[in-house]
Amino acid sequence: MAEYEGVVQQIRKILEHKAPEEHVFLISADLVEFKRINYLYGAEKGTELLRSVEKALETFPSVRFWKHLYADRFIFAVVSRERQIGSAVIR
């Protein structure tokens, strides 16, 4: 439960410090069929995949916060002046 409280605090901080013209998108992601990767290739390869997702999230400057919650679940916050999420992430 404390982990989720930390996530909520981070999101509140982002909302409090964003510029008035900025929009915040909160995204929850679940890697589909992740258990199958572990089953077919082993837990080590599954962990490698999760680390790759983490590294990919770090490459987007608009991603201000991300957290690997558990298993194959991620949550991340995108802050942008764009009003649509596609434009916000790509820029």
Side-chain angles (χ1 to χ4, degrees):
M1 195 65 146
E3 187 170 334
Y4 291 106
E5 289 175 17
V7 169
V8 170
Q9 288 175 355
Q10 286 287 342
I11 294 167
R12 279 190 180 134
K13 196 180 300 184
I14 289 169
L15 291 170
E16 289 170 1
H17 293 96
K18 75 172 191 66
E21 66 276 3
E22 290 181 318
H23 305 278
V24 178
F25 302 93
L26 197 54
I27 302 164
S28 174
D30 180 2
L31 301 178
V32 177
E33 298 291 332
F34 180 74
K35 289 179 185 179
R36 188 176 301 227
I37 291 169
N38 280 340
Y39 177 77
L40 293 173
Y41 303 104
E44 188 174 314
K45 289 294 182 187
T47 300
E48 281 182 37
L49 176 62
L50 293 174
R51 298 286 179 238
S52 295
V53 170
E54 291 172 351
K55 286 182 181 181
L57 288 172
E58 291 173 353
T59 66
F60 293 99
S62 58
V63 175
R64 298 278 174 87
F65 167 77
W66 63 267
K67 178 82 173 154
H68 176 201
L69 294 175
Y70 61 89
D72 58 349
R73 275 269 177 214
F74 288 81
I75 188 167
F76 52 102
V78 174
V79 179
S80 175
R81 292 183 177 175
E82 298 292 333
R83 290 180 177 256
Q84 295 186 354
I85 186 64
S87 301
V89 174
I90 293 172
R91 288 186 173 229

